[in-house]
Amino acid sequence: IVAKSAPDGHTLLIGTSQIVVNPSVYAKLPYNTMTDLAPVTQISSQPYMLSAHPSLPARTFKEALALAKARPSALHCSSAGIGSGNHLACELLNKLAGTRIVHVPYKGSVAAINDLIGGQVELGFSNAMAVIAHIKAGRLQPLAITSKQRAAMLPDVPTVAESGFPGFEASVWFGVFVAGATPRDTIRRIATEIGRVLHMPDVSKVFTSEGGEVIASSPEQFSEYVKSEMVKWTDVVKHAGIKAE
């Protein structure tokens, strides 16, 4: 709808990180992500938490990785579905670490987390806020977080990057897009106004309370980020042979 809308800045898309994955997962889309949509500003970003069922004989990320290498295809990782962000996080780990952790898709994050808690799968990349209560209750064992820095809510949990994989980053991010032919001045004005609102203390507090980070990037910064994310995840999709079903 947004791609085909009038390029006047009055029709906005709140897009998620899935927008850079879809072109490589789906054989055909009714729009061209890079030309029919124009990035305005990234709003926020939320990391994933890699957690394990307590029955797994591993209490750290490095122990879990050693177990995965010693037992190829024996460990399973739940996700919200094929091509979802947490699926890709698992495949990025497989690619960088040379492991063969088996992906198990579910119909949504709730089902994926429930089976992780129930022990039907051993591992799962989940939205950090969605599992923090289960971690604190001892139902899940935290192994690593996928952001660049450690999370304030669980400061003792290391990042994947500091655990031996520099540059590893995966997150659920949100951003605003408009029709591709929208004038640059219009795009910059929208970005400026959104950024002003995002930096209001009561607004930014909502994002941080949900485990997110306020970004408020410029159109140019967001455009470069979208391009780099598309390259990164297209490579992961091809490496893992992911196709939408």
Side-chain angles (χ1 to χ4, degrees), residues 101-152:
I101 299 169
V102 179
H103 168 240
V104 182
Y106 286 83
K107 292 183 178 180
S109 297
V110 174
I113 293 171
N114 284 344
D115 266 18
L116 176 60
I117 293 169
Q120 280 77 23
V121 290
E122 299 86 3
L123 299 167
F125 282 94
S126 314
N127 181 291
M129 285 300 293
V131 293
I132 189 167
H134 301 299
I135 289 171
K136 290 184 175 180
R139 291 186 288 268
L140 291 175
Q141 173 67 33
L143 299 176
I145 198 159
T146 62
S147 47
K148 289 181 179 178
Q149 290 88 28
R150 294 191 183 199

Side-chain angles (χ1 to χ4, degrees), residues 26-190:
Y26 293 93
K28 190 175 182 180
L29 292 174
Y31 59 89
N32 184 305
T33 306
M34 301 309 293
T35 58
D36 294 342
L37 295 171
V40 177
T41 183
Q42 187 179 1
I43 297 173
S44 68
S45 179
Q46 292 181 320
Y48 292 109
M49 179 72 72
L50 174 60
S51 305
H53 187 265
S55 64
L56 190 73
R59 289 294 171 266
T60 66
F61 174 80
K62 291 183 178 179
E63 289 176 358
L65 206 60
L67 200 60
K69 289 183 176 181
R71 298 163 54 188
S73 302
L75 300 188
H76 303 79
C77 185
S78 65
S79 85
I82 294 173
S84 62
N86 35 19
H87 175 198
L88 293 180
C90 180
E91 297 299 354
L92 177 60
L93 180 60
N94 276 335
K95 179 177 181 288
L96 296 179
T99 50
R100 292 207 302 269
I101 299 169
V102 179
H103 168 240
V104 182
Y106 286 83
K107 292 183 178 180
S109 297
V110 174
I113 293 171
N114 284 344
D115 266 18
L116 176 60
I117 293 169
Q120 280 77 23
V121 290
E122 299 86 3
L123 299 167
F125 282 94
S126 314
N127 181 291
M129 285 300 293
V131 293
I132 189 167
H134 301 299
I135 289 171
K136 290 184 175 180
R139 291 186 288 268
L140 291 175
Q141 173 67 33
L143 299 176
I145 198 159
T146 62
S147 47
K148 289 181 179 178
Q149 290 88 28
R150 294 191 183 199
M153 53 187 166
L154 287 171
D156 294 334
V157 179
T159 66
V160 177
E162 72 180 273
S163 300
F165 299 94
F168 186 107
E169 185 182 2
S171 63
V172 181
W173 55 257
F174 301 87
V176 177
F177 296 81
V178 291
T182 304
R184 297 303 299 174
D185 286 348
T186 301
I187 291 174
R188 289 192 186 95
R189 182 182 175 190
I190 297 170

